[in-house]
Amino acid sequence: MTNIILGVGIVLILIILVMIFRVQSLISIVRGAPRSRETTSNKVNAALWVVLLVLGSVAIIWSSWVAAEYFLPDASSEHGPKTDDLFWITMGITGAVFFATHILLFYFPYKYQFRENRKASFYPDNNRLEVIWTVVPAIVLTLLVLSGWKVWRDITSDAPEQAMEVELVGKQFNWLVRYPGVKQAELGKKKAELGNFNYRLIDASNEVGIDLTDENSFDDFMPREVHLVKGKPVLLKIRGRDVLHSVFLPQFRVKMDAVPGMPTKFWFTPTHTTKEMREQLGNPNFNFELACTEVCGRGHFSMRNLVIVETQEEFDAWAAKQQSWLATHRDYLSKVPANLQQKALQIIGPGEGDNAPASDSTAAPAPDAAAVAPATNPIKMVSNSSK
Amino acid sequence: MAAVDIPAKHDLAHGHDDHDHDHDHRQSFIRKYIFSEDHKIIAKQYLFTGLFWAVVGVSMSLIFRLQLGFPKMNMDFLKPILGGWIEEGKLNPEFYLALVTMHGTIMVFFVLTAGLSGTFSNFLIPLQVGARDMASGFMNMLSYWFFFLSSVLMFTSLFIETGPAAGGWVIYPPLSALPQAMLGSGLGMTLWLVSMALFIISQLLGGVNYVTTVINLRTPGMSFSRLPLTIWSFFFTAVIGLLSFPVLFSAALLLIFDRTFGTSFYLSDIYIAGEALPQNGGSPLLFQHLFWFLGHPEVYIVLLPALGITSEIIATNSRKPIFGYRAMIGSMMAITVLSFLVWAHHMFVSGLNPFLGSIFMFLTLIIAVPSAVKAFNYITTLWREILYSRRPCCSQ
């Protein structure tokens, strides 16, 4: 309430000032004083240009100062520092030009304000000047483009051979994570591969549409959060299940849309483990974050997941403990073709009642509850940027 | 041409009119102020409609920014106007998105396109080129009333039960194509699309008029190299609008097909609300290309009139001609051409081919050059002038 009264008061005072000003100019007209064109009004306005420049600069610097903690979080991927450098170089160059041009734009109207005894200089054209300030910005921008282009090419190049694959599927309103299991490798396969998928196979349990006719899918596992290995390239295979989502890993400088019907990809290499980042930031609650950054509906704000970066040993220990999706959904064994049943059982290990594969899981897929109600994220996210 | 055109029309009108022939130019109130063909009245109609939308758009932004900036704040005091959209002292998340969407749509299209171009192009083009009125007063009138109709529909969508469109002002499908994806993608989205189709018709009618007037109705001696920079900027704005708005129209049309007739222009491999949809082979990226083919030139539809007006005000109040008149026109022409070649820079991480990305990166930085030239020319115009700082209109 006090603020409102204060605001109204300020507005009233301004109105009063304007009225006094108008009354004065009316009086001078009535008195028939010789009208000088070098009026107070013009002097005040000319001074206001400089006032605006100073106030504006102060406001820009102050707000940047206050908001500095919300600027780029510390980069922890290999390409991160490169894009950060580009960002700050571009900021520096354009910022310097911005301040230089604006200081001139605001200062000239003050300096060259109307004076009775002065005439404006007639200066309509100068081709040399025009050429200079067309060519110089063009060269600077070309240099910026070239440096940016190099980084862009590196980032969007093909992932290295040894990259580990992780599938991220965006759905309303959470991220589903799928890893190619480790069991195939134990059975002599060179590289762990993700099994095929088909959106028509999606139901309440098979949330990403795993295609069980592909033997690669038998050992795929779907943990709740994303685990990555420090120093090991990771290839994200990104899919959207219902509407557009966008994978956003701010600390890794990763952003890529999840598009229904068009799988996308992005690869990068984490450079810090979660533990190292916690020590570096002095924040024991720090966590890497996976967020959605494309408006996707009611629960968009809550669509986030946890990313844990660890050492290879920690990762291997964790991955060995994970049960494959098929092992936790044994009723889906019936969907495995007969000639692959044996192999599937070998991979997921024995369980009760395996010898007689259930004729069919009669339980009709329940309508997906998560699609109607926003997912309540069980993991409390505390990142360095959220308050 | 206009001078020939207008009396002819008056004669026609009087053929059917048995009223007092001495008062040739008296028009009924409705013809003069409502269904007016006078470019100055139409400009004012655009101005006031634009101002109305500006108030609506700004209030929306205040509301959602309060929620964003102060997430713990109790918003119950907004219950009298928002009613059920306030849930437990917070904005309903879908209504929050709806506010953001409507704010964007209103500001970009209704305020900054119709309100800016509609007002100033209509008001200034005939006056500054020395024409009696627009090339076609009737089309000009239609242009405003299509805009009005589109405004009414958009405003109506604020009051329906499921709320207005909420998929962001870019209305990316599949979110905007599937009513089951969110409340705002139902009737609200339909109204948005229809309203926008009417808006595009209005912009095209207006644009054809502006271009024709500038080319054909200049007074003798008003050559292209003497046109005020405001007129040049309105001219380029109209050209951009004429070439890009039809593309948005086609995007909206295909989206209507996807929503209503089960086509799959933008939809493919979708599982939503417990059901795998039959649509196959479409691409959400197609919509993004079509949308941004308007969306980026739209930035310059908003910017160019402002640049034109600025040029004229600076030059006039400086008591000297603008520095580099030809360079100013050249840079606006360059902006016009380049504005059609940079759209995909809104789509770098949409799954676009990275090679295309690098091309658009190059073109995007190049478009900064003509803009820089304009700023430098302003500075030189201001150098050693004698500035009378005052309101550009209505003083002395």
Side-chain angles (χ1 to χ4, degrees):
Chain A
M1 200 60 198
T2 336
N3 290 340
I4 296 172
I5 293 174
L6 206 66
V8 172
I10 291 172
V11 170
L12 283 177
I13 289 173
L14 284 178
I15 292 175
I16 290 170
L17 286 176
V18 171
M19 293 311 281
I20 291 175
F21 193 73
R22 291 194 67 180
V23 167
Q24 269 187 344
S25 55
L26 285 176
I27 287 174
S28 71
I29 291 171
V30 171
R31 276 188 187 151
R35 284 186 65 186
S36 158
R37 293 169 70 208
E38 207 175 309
T39 53
T40 335
S41 143
N42 193 41
K43 281 179 194 149
V44 170
N45 283 342
L48 281 179
W49 284 98
V50 176
V51 172
L52 191 60
L53 173 67
V54 173
L55 287 184
S57 310
V58 170
I60 288 175
I61 292 164
W62 174 77
S63 63
S64 315
W65 189 268
V66 170
E69 61 171 309
Y70 302 110
F71 284 4
L72 297 174
D74 290 349
S76 42
S77 65
E78 262 175 22
H79 70 268
K82 291 187 215 159
T83 54
D84 286 8
D85 286 348
L86 267 183
F87 175 79
W88 286 115
I89 290 171
T90 313
M91 258 323 230
I93 295 174
T94 52
V97 177
F98 174 83
F99 275 103
T101 47
H102 277 73
I103 286 171
L104 293 181
L105 275 176
F106 281 89
Y107 178 63
F108 281 177
Y110 169 76
K111 175 147 194 251
Y112 300 115
Q113 61 183 286
F114 183 87
R115 302 252 191 266
E116 294 280 10
N117 53 1
R118 209 167 54 75
K119 269 193 166 176
S121 69
F122 182 75
Y123 190 38
D125 235 330
N126 184 332
N127 285 340
R128 189 189 290 176
L129 272 181
E130 297 281 3
V131 169
I132 289 176
W133 59 54
T134 311
V135 171
V136 173
I139 292 175
V140 173
L141 288 170
T142 311
L143 291 177
L144 278 180
V145 170
L146 288 179
S147 53
W149 182 56
K150 199 175 162 300
V151 175
W152 170 255
R153 234 180 22 172
D154 290 348
I155 293 174
T156 54
S157 60
D158 285 336
E161 267 301 300
Q162 80 278 16
M164 64 187 261
E165 288 183 5
V166 182
E167 184 186 60
L168 295 177
V169 180
K171 74 175 242 290
Q172 287 179 327
F173 295 99
N174 57 313
W175 291 103
L176 305 167
V177 190
R178 182 160 71 120
Y179 281 82
V182 287
K183 297 271 171 38
Q184 302 267 20
E186 288 167 13
L187 290 173
K189 224 169 183 283
K190 255 199 217 133
K191 190 170 180 248
E193 278 181 70
L194 282 163
N196 284 345
F197 58 85
N198 185 341
Y199 84 103
R200 289 181 191 279
L201 298 172
I202 296 175
D203 57 42
S205 317
N206 190 358
E207 289 194 293
V208 297
I210 298 175
D211 182 359
L212 290 169
T213 58
D214 177 15
E215 54 182 297
N216 283 328
S217 65
F218 298 157
D219 61 346
D220 290 357
F221 61 94
M222 296 188 55
R224 185 177 283 286
E225 69 277 325
V226 185
H227 284 247
L228 303 176
V229 179
K230 175 189 169 183
K232 184 168 186 181
V234 51
L235 173 63
L236 299 179
K237 295 190 149 181
I238 302 162
R239 287 198 282 138
R241 206 179 84 164
D242 33 36
V243 301
L244 286 180
H245 301 276
S246 189
V247 170
F248 184 36
L249 298 160
Q251 290 91 356
F252 303 111
R253 307 292 191 264
V254 170
K255 202 184 247 190
M256 183 52 75
D257 281 8
V259 186
M262 195 189 88
T264 53
K265 61 186 167 73
F266 199 107
W267 78 271
F268 67 100
T269 313
T271 53
H272 296 79
T273 63
T274 303
K275 211 182 282 170
E276 284 168 0
M277 279 309 274
R278 284 180 183 172
E279 279 162 20
Q280 188 180 323
L281 296 169
N283 175 5
N285 295 321
F286 171 83
N287 267 317
F288 292 115
E289 177 187 14
L290 160 62
C292 176
T293 177
E294 182 75 59
V295 170
C296 61
R298 182 182 172 92
H300 172 59
F301 67 93
S302 65
M303 185 165 166
R304 48 208 325 220
N305 204 338
L306 202 62
V307 178
I308 294 156
V309 183
E310 51 205 2
T311 59
Q312 184 73 51
E313 296 79 52
E314 286 168 326
F315 178 83
D316 289 343
W318 170 79
K321 268 193 284 178
Q322 301 299 312
Q323 278 209 300
S324 82
W325 182 83
L326 190 57
T328 50
H329 294 81
R330 283 181 171 271
D331 43 338
Y332 279 80
L333 264 174
S334 60
K335 307 235 160 123
V336 177
N339 59 332
L340 292 173
Q341 287 277 353
Q342 211 47 45
K343 182 155 193 201
L345 283 175
Q346 198 187 348
I347 286 173
I348 65 175
E352 62 243 49
D354 273 346
N355 293 333
S359 56
D360 194 68
S361 53
T362 40
D368 195 354
V372 257
T376 46
N377 202 326
I379 305 155
K380 182 101 177 102
M381 297 289 306
V382 185
S383 71
N384 64 337
S385 59
S386 59
K387 292 275 132 176
Chain B
M1 240 175 255
V4 184
D5 198 38
I6 289 173
K9 208 182 317 159
H10 275 253
D11 290 342
L12 252 178
H14 285 277
H16 302 282
D17 199 351
D18 288 331
H19 285 297
D20 195 356
H21 279 249
D22 292 332
H23 298 92
D24 259 359
H25 294 287
R26 176 176 292 170
Q27 289 168 302
S28 68
F29 178 82
I30 290 185
R31 289 293 286 165
K32 192 168 179 191
Y33 292 108
I34 298 174
F35 293 103
S36 170
E37 296 183 11
D38 176 4
H39 71 100
K40 297 188 288 306
I41 295 292
I42 294 173
K44 285 174 204 162
Q45 290 173 327
Y46 265 112
L47 175 67
F48 287 116
T49 320
L51 283 177
F52 167 78
W53 276 118
V55 171
V56 175
V58 169
S59 345
M60 286 177 170
S61 100
L62 286 178
I63 294 174
F64 73 72
R65 268 168 232 261
L66 272 182
Q67 179 72 77
L68 181 66
F70 308 96
K72 298 225 167 74
M73 184 173 165
N74 186 350
M75 306 277 281
D76 273 339
F77 66 95
L78 286 171
K79 267 214 159 129
I81 45 170
L82 296 183
W85 292 117
I86 302 280
E87 289 170 355
E88 295 162 18
K90 301 267 173 296
L91 279 183
N92 170 312
E94 279 186 82
F95 190 68
Y96 176 88
L97 294 178
L99 282 181
V100 177
T101 305
M102 295 312 281
H103 168 74
T105 309
I106 288 169
M107 283 309 194
V108 169
F109 293 113
F110 290 0
V111 179
L112 289 172
T113 305
L116 188 66
S117 269
T119 305
F120 288 102
S121 298
N122 269 317
F123 200 84
L124 294 179
I125 287 179
L127 294 182
Q128 290 199 325
V129 303
R132 294 231 359 219
D133 203 317
M134 283 290 179
S136 165
F138 180 70
M139 264 165 68
N140 211 13
M141 177 186 84
L142 275 188
S143 157
Y144 173 74
W145 285 102
F146 268 108
F147 170 51
F148 185 82
L149 207 57
S150 134
S151 295
V152 169
L153 278 184
M154 196 62 89
F155 197 64
T156 313
S157 82
L158 299 177
F159 299 97
I160 60 178
E161 195 185 350
T162 48
W169 79 279
V170 295
I171 56 153
Y172 280 174
L175 184 61
S176 59
L178 304 170
Q180 59 270 54
M182 74 190 301
L183 283 182
S185 296
L187 180 58
M189 194 64 225
T190 307
L191 285 172
W192 193 98
L193 286 167
V194 176
S195 160
M196 205 39 82
L198 293 172
F199 179 81
I200 293 167
I201 295 171
S202 140
Q203 286 309 298
L204 295 183
L205 287 170
V208 167
N209 243 331
Y210 307 150
V211 171
T212 318
T213 311
V214 172
I215 294 179
N216 288 329
L217 298 188
R218 280 167 293 126
T219 198
M222 177 62 85
S223 62
F224 269 111
S225 58
R226 286 177 185 162
L227 272 188
L229 285 174
T230 38
I231 301 305
W232 269 111
S233 73
F234 299 148
F235 177 69
F236 285 128
T237 306
V239 169
I240 297 179
L242 280 178
L243 293 178
S244 63
F245 268 114
V247 180
L248 180 66
F249 192 84
S250 66
L253 204 63
L254 297 187
L255 187 52
I256 291 175
F257 276 36
D258 269 8
R259 289 168 54 82
T260 323
F261 308 127
T263 55
S264 40
F265 290 108
Y266 306 132
L267 307 178
S268 184
D269 297 12
I270 289 167
Y271 177 91
I272 193 164
E275 183 193 11
L277 302 184
Q279 273 95 341
N280 211 314
S283 165
L285 257 69
L286 171 63
F287 180 86
Q288 297 178 22
H289 280 295
L290 292 176
F291 180 87
W292 287 115
F293 194 80
L294 160 92
H296 197 80
E298 172 68 33
V299 171
Y300 297 98
I301 292 178
V302 169
L303 177 66
L304 282 181
L307 286 179
I309 294 170
T310 312
S311 311
E312 204 68 6
I313 290 173
I314 286 186
T316 307
N317 284 315
S318 301
R319 307 283 205 281
K320 62 190 276 199
I322 188 91
F323 180 81
Y325 172 77
R326 277 162 195 278
M328 291 301 240
I329 298 169
S331 63
M332 280 198 279
M333 204 179 289
I335 288 177
T336 305
V337 174
L338 286 171
S339 72
F340 285 100
L341 301 175
V342 297
W343 78 90
H345 71 206
H346 297 271
M347 299 168 58
F348 281 139
V349 294
S350 64
L352 188 77
N353 184 332
F355 175 70
L356 275 181
S358 24
I359 305 226
F360 280 100
M361 179 170 76
F362 180 71
L363 291 165
T364 297
L365 281 182
I366 290 303
I367 202 171
V369 174
S371 318
V373 168
K374 293 193 81 80
F376 291 134
N377 282 354
Y378 288 151
I379 293 176
T380 323
T381 306
L382 287 170
W383 178 68
R384 291 169 73 177
E385 32 78 38
I386 41 167
L387 190 73
Y388 208 80
S389 304
R390 62 181 181 191
R391 283 167 296 163
C393 74
C394 28
S395 38
Q396 285 96 343

